[in-house]
Amino acid sequence: MKITDAFCNDIIQNKTMKRSIKNLKEYTTETVNGEVGAVTEFYFDDETLTVRYLLIETGNWPFRRKVLVPMEAIDGFDWEQKLFPVNLTQ
């Protein structure tokens, strides 16, 4: 189930914070090797309504690719840098 304008819950210091998915689409991802690309979409579990995957757009035209990254690979959130650190290699 693809939902592009919903709310995402995350736990930070035992507090639930709601962030608009629309705003999170401006975030970039960074692997252990460096920056990968921009978050373009979120995919939700249709039963629990939790985010399951991020769709990341990498590269420049004509070498642009889309990569589906599971939430288990996300290594926290950097709200100030607008960054999702990803525990994967390029």
Side-chain angles (χ1 to χ4, degrees), residues 21-68:
I21 291 293
K22 185 176 182 180
N23 293 336
L24 295 178
K25 289 173 75 173
E26 302 169 0
Y27 281 48
T28 57
T29 56
E30 183 177 74
T31 65
V32 294
N33 304 48
E35 188 174 314
V36 172
V39 177
T40 59
E41 294 181 17
F42 295 83
Y43 288 86
F44 287 76
D45 182 304
D46 60 351
E47 292 180 9
T48 63
L49 297 179
T50 57
V51 177
R52 295 288 308 266
Y53 300 97
L54 303 178
L55 186 65
I56 310 300
E57 193 167 290
T58 66
N60 295 316
W61 186 89
F63 304 106
R64 186 169 290 146
R65 295 184 316 165
K66 292 185 178 183
V67 179
L68 201 57

Side-chain angles (χ1 to χ4, degrees), residues 4 10 13-14 25 34 37-38 41 60 63 71 77 80 84:
T4 57
D10 66 271
Q13 299 173 355
N14 298 322
K25 289 173 75 173
E41 294 181 17
N60 295 316
F63 304 106
M71 286 303 293
F77 305 95
E80 291 179 14
F84 290 117

